[in-house]
Amino acid sequence: MTQTTTSDAALTAFVEATAARYDMPGIAVGIWTGGREIHATVGVTSIENPVPVTAHTVFAIGSTSKTFTATALLRLVADGRVDLDAPVRAYVPELDLLDEHAAATVTVAQLLNHTAGFEWNLINNTGEGEDGLAAFVASLAELPLLAAPGERASYSQAGFNLLGRVIENVTGEPFEKVVADTVFAPVGLTESHYFQGDIMTRRFAAGHERRQDGTLEVARVWKGTRANNPGGGIGATVSDLLRWGRFHLGDGRGAHGETVLPADLLRAMREPTVTLRNSTLADAFGLCWMLRDVDGVRMAGHGGSGFGQFADFQVVPERDFAIVVLSNAGPDGIPANQATVRWALEHYLGVVDRDPVPVPFDATRVEELSGVYDIDAMTMTCYAEGDQLYLDCKVKPEIRAAGGAEIPQDHPPFPFGILPGDGDEYVITAGSFEGQRGFFSRDADGQISGVDLAGRLFGRVS
């Protein structure tokens, strides 16, 4: 993959202004457009030990890692070693879930497109040894189930970690080695790693979290546990991620012309498999990819976050376009990345991405929507003050006590408005999650039973 790397004064100016607006220590941006790479990097890796951010600075990319896990899994499909429609137990016979029917019937494809019915994740630490992923899978009987397999989409980290165990059992090798050998190496990704021992010898970004007084502090945890590597464990650079984007825009051949993944499977990853309702994540899930139609063009992408670092990775196949944005402070890394992606889409492609506009406040909806909603690690309260609705998400006390300094501060309550239509869809109107969309779900009797936020279902508890 030959490349020409250039700079763009307008892009650099926008990224500098965005970093200042959101008080971001560092931002790295890479764009592939018109057959050339464009980079803009500003700021520093850490406020304590500041080193300039470059296109070769390693950031923790969180759930963007799932695209690598999915590609490695599809390689096994291409080799005839995995069948997407087969039960997961065909490859992980030790799988045990709360519901035996779910454990026996959930398929590999349902893990890939988040329709397995799994809760988001288990908050546990099974160690950094080669048995960490196996131990995590052994604990899945503790994971709440939201629905029967195939019944609905709900984003799940645990599901992708289980895919990592599928890869381990089929190959007989540690998950990380399989991805390194079958994806990183043939695609030519020399700056992407799972283990902190590989990362710490390179220029890398530290995450930052905002204290209650508004100042930033360095996050002392760089990434999650080894069992979370399939769902979110990679450290990578803008340079490598642009190469990754170009691979997925291509025909499946790697750095030296060999086939890494057949072109038909590469394209199949971007085909819709399940639609999502009013979700900021996507209009639909492919095989891992989050698919959105924006101003008449189809985008495929995946974001990622964790411990004060944020990634946004998008490709636009019909325009041969890719963009990567990496930032290193929470909670405003999300809006900073989104603003940059939107500017680039409009500046380079003429594609405009805007938030929907809510309807005026309706006091008659307050009683129905107000209540407490729950997920594994968080509780969310819906209420109204004056003529404004709010969602207040708080980490559960027991999770915060167990996590200590690893757990970032809670966000202020999110103001939101109801969108036109059936009245159950909403958009957050201010704060770090501005523009995030979701919906209230109903049970068979028509009563509000849950609320979706960021692709995850919070069940109503009161």
Side-chain angles (χ1 to χ4, degrees):
M1 292 183 181
T2 59
Q3 66 188 51
T4 300
T5 302
T6 63
S7 61
D8 182 315
L11 173 64
T12 299
F14 181 85
V15 175
E16 288 174 343
T18 300
R21 175 183 176 187
Y22 291 103
D23 190 21
M24 205 59 46
I27 301 180
V29 180
I31 294 172
W32 171 256
T33 185
R36 63 191 177 116
E37 284 192 9
I38 303 170
H39 292 159
T41 57
V42 304
V44 296
T45 58
S46 167
I47 60 173
E48 290 186 357
N49 294 286
V51 176
V53 169
T54 75
H56 303 286
T57 297
V58 178
F59 285 75
I61 66 170
S63 288
T64 305
S65 306
K66 290 180 173 68
T67 63
F68 295 83
T69 300
T71 304
L73 192 283
L74 267 291
R75 279 206 54 162
L76 297 177
V77 171
D79 293 340
R81 303 174 72 182
V82 171
D83 180 350
L84 289 179
D85 295 323
V88 175
R89 270 192 179 166
Y91 312 106
V92 187
E94 68 270 26
L95 177 63
D96 186 21
L97 301 174
L98 279 173
D99 181 87
E100 170 57 25
H101 180 72
T105 60
V106 64
T107 69
V108 176
Q110 287 166 344
L111 297 180
L112 277 168
N113 73 357
H114 300 285
T115 61
F118 288 6
E119 176 66 275
W120 173 62
N121 203 15
L122 286 171
I123 310 299
N124 60 7
N125 186 342
T126 56
E128 297 303 307
E130 288 190 0
D131 62 346
L133 190 51
F136 176 88
V137 169
S139 71
L140 284 178
E142 305 169 16
L143 182 73
L145 302 178
L146 302 175
E151 187 175 287
R152 60 159 290 152
S154 187
Y155 185 80
S156 177
Q157 175 87 355
F160 259 77
N161 292 340
L162 178 54
L163 281 173
R165 187 59 179 162
V166 170
I167 291 170
E168 286 192 337
N169 280 0
V170 169
T171 63
E173 299 278 4
F175 165 77
E176 298 86 359
K177 183 177 188 305
V178 177
V179 177
D181 291 347
T182 65
V183 178
F184 289 171
V187 177
L189 307 178
T190 61
E191 299 175 339
S192 300
H193 306 277
Y194 283 102
F195 298 115
Q196 288 180 226
D198 294 318
I199 293 164
M200 67 181 293
T201 59
R202 294 164 170 80
R203 183 181 302 218
F204 64 91
H208 300 77
E209 297 289 355
R210 200 165 299 282
R211 300 185 183 99
Q212 289 184 330
D213 66 3
T215 61
L216 289 174
E217 63 180 347
V218 171
R220 299 302 170 191
V221 177
W222 203 80
K223 57 171 281 186
T225 63
R226 184 168 182 178
N228 282 292
N229 277 350
I234 292 177
T237 67
V238 156
S239 179
D240 255 17
L241 287 173
L242 272 189
R243 183 176 288 270
W244 185 233
R246 292 176 62 190
F247 168 75
H248 274 278
L249 289 168
D251 60 5
R253 287 183 291 179
H256 303 291
E258 74 279 30
T259 297
V260 178
L261 192 67
D264 60 335
L265 278 178
L266 198 74
R267 289 190 296 269
M269 292 179 70
R270 302 196 302 264
E271 291 299 316
T273 63
V274 59
T275 58
L276 302 182
R277 180 182 179 186
N278 193 47
S279 174
T280 305
L281 289 180
D283 298 326
F285 286 141
L287 296 177
C288 176
W289 286 112
M290 297 180 178
L291 309 173
R292 291 199 304 141
D293 290 321
V294 179
D295 202 14
V297 301
R298 168 63 58 85
M299 296 173 58
H302 211 296
S305 64
F307 306 106
Q309 299 197 58
F310 299 85
D312 201 336
F313 174 74
Q314 304 288 332
V315 297
V316 185
E318 66 187 77
R319 302 290 186 88
D320 194 32
F321 178 90
I323 180 168
V324 182
V325 188
L326 306 176
S327 56
N328 65 341
D332 289 328
I334 294 173
N337 288 2
Q338 182 188 61
T340 305
V341 170
R342 285 181 166 182
W343 182 91
L345 289 173
E346 186 168 4
H347 183 79
Y348 295 104
L349 302 183
V351 171
V352 179
D353 185 12
R354 293 191 178 95
D355 293 332
V357 179
V359 300
F361 176 77
D362 181 356
T364 65
R365 298 298 312 283
V366 172
E367 182 177 357
E368 181 183 33
L369 301 177
S370 295
V372 179
Y373 302 81
D374 185 83
I375 201 169
D376 53 355
M378 302 187 77
T379 298
M380 179 160 59
T381 304
C382 179
Y383 65 95
E385 283 187 358
D387 60 356
Q388 179 62 63
L389 289 161
Y390 291 93
L391 294 173
D392 189 11
C393 297
K394 301 292 186 189
V395 175
K396 292 180 178 178
E398 63 271 24
I399 299 295
R400 188 171 292 285
E406 299 180 15
I407 306 297
Q409 294 292 327
D410 291 319
H411 294 265
F414 301 124
F416 74 96
I418 299 298
L419 292 173
D422 64 9
D424 287 343
E425 299 179 352
Y426 71 87
V427 61
I428 293 173
T429 54
S432 298
F433 275 27
E434 182 177 357
Q436 291 272 345
R437 303 191 303 276
F439 64 94
F440 290 87
S441 53
R442 296 180 182 271
D443 60 22
D445 296 324
Q447 302 300 307
I448 297 289
S449 59
V451 58
D452 276 67
L453 176 64
R456 300 165 189 169
L457 174 63
F458 289 68
R460 189 167 197 162
V461 294
S462 67

